[in-house]
């Protein structure tokens, strides 16, 4: 059984072993993104917390929206560009953004020459589904707590 952690520097948390849950060809698009799942280290199950680093030219995720999950981000370092259905916003350290369930589709892009660091928080609502308006992919959070991906027509990847 792993040793229980009381506290640590977020930047010392180990990165995800598998850099992306997306199937190919989408997983490769996440090159340059490093997620450190902070909440998992403490056994949190109701919500997730990630420290995410985006190297220059990388993206946080495919453009997406959740059906039941709320998401929140806090920019720690760098100046990522937030893309939503309403347009683009250049974010700076200290800025926050939130995405209500079934709200605007969104993702971040690092269009700068400096690494961006963002704290991501999202709940783990049962029955959550993710739609990707720009890509032929859909996701459903299964009873096993894992994401299951299909094409938009329901055929598996």
């Amino acid at each position: 059984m792993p040793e229980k952690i009381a506290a640590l520097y977020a930047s010392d948390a180990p990165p995800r072993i598998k850099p992306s849950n997306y199937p190919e060809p989408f997983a490769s698009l996440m090159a340059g993104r490093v997620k450190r799942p902070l909440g998992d280290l403490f056994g949190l199950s109701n919500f997730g917390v990630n420290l995410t680093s985006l190297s220059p030219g990388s993206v946080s995720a495919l453009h997406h929206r959740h059906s039941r999950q709320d998401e929140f981000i806090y920019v720690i370092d760098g100046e990522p560009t937030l893309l939503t259905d309403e347009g683009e916003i250049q974010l700076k350290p200290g800025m926050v953004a939130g995405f209500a369930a079934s709200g605007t589709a969104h993702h971040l892009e690092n269009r700068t020459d400096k690494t961006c660091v963002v704290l991501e928080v999202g709940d783990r609502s049962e029955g959550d589904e993710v739609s990707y308006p720009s890509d032929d992919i859909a996701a459903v959070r299964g009873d096993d707590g894992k994401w299951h991906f299909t094409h938009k027509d329901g055929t598996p990847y």
Side-chain angles (χ1 to χ4, degrees), residues 90-156:
Q90 184 76 44
L91 302 177
K92 298 185 181 303
M95 293 181 76
V96 297
F99 313 102
S102 297
T104 187
H106 57 278
H107 75 281
L108 297 173
E109 295 182 2
N110 183 358
R111 298 176 178 172
T112 73
D113 60 359
K114 180 182 175 190
T115 297
C116 298
V117 181
V118 178
L119 188 69
E120 304 169 332
V121 180
D123 68 74
R124 294 179 172 167
S125 299
E126 287 186 31
D128 188 27
E129 298 180 8
V130 186
S131 61
Y132 300 87
S134 303
D135 297 291
D136 181 23
I137 187 171
V140 175
R141 189 174 189 88
D143 292 338
D144 59 2
K146 296 179 181 178
W147 290 107
H148 300 272
F149 296 95
T150 65
H151 292 273
K152 286 182 179 177
D153 68 5
T155 58

Side-chain angles (χ1 to χ4, degrees), residues 24-38:
E24 288 297 350
F26 305 108
S28 296
L29 299 174
M30 299 303 111
R33 177 189 79 177
V34 176
K35 285 188 178 261
R36 297 176 187 282
L38 304 177

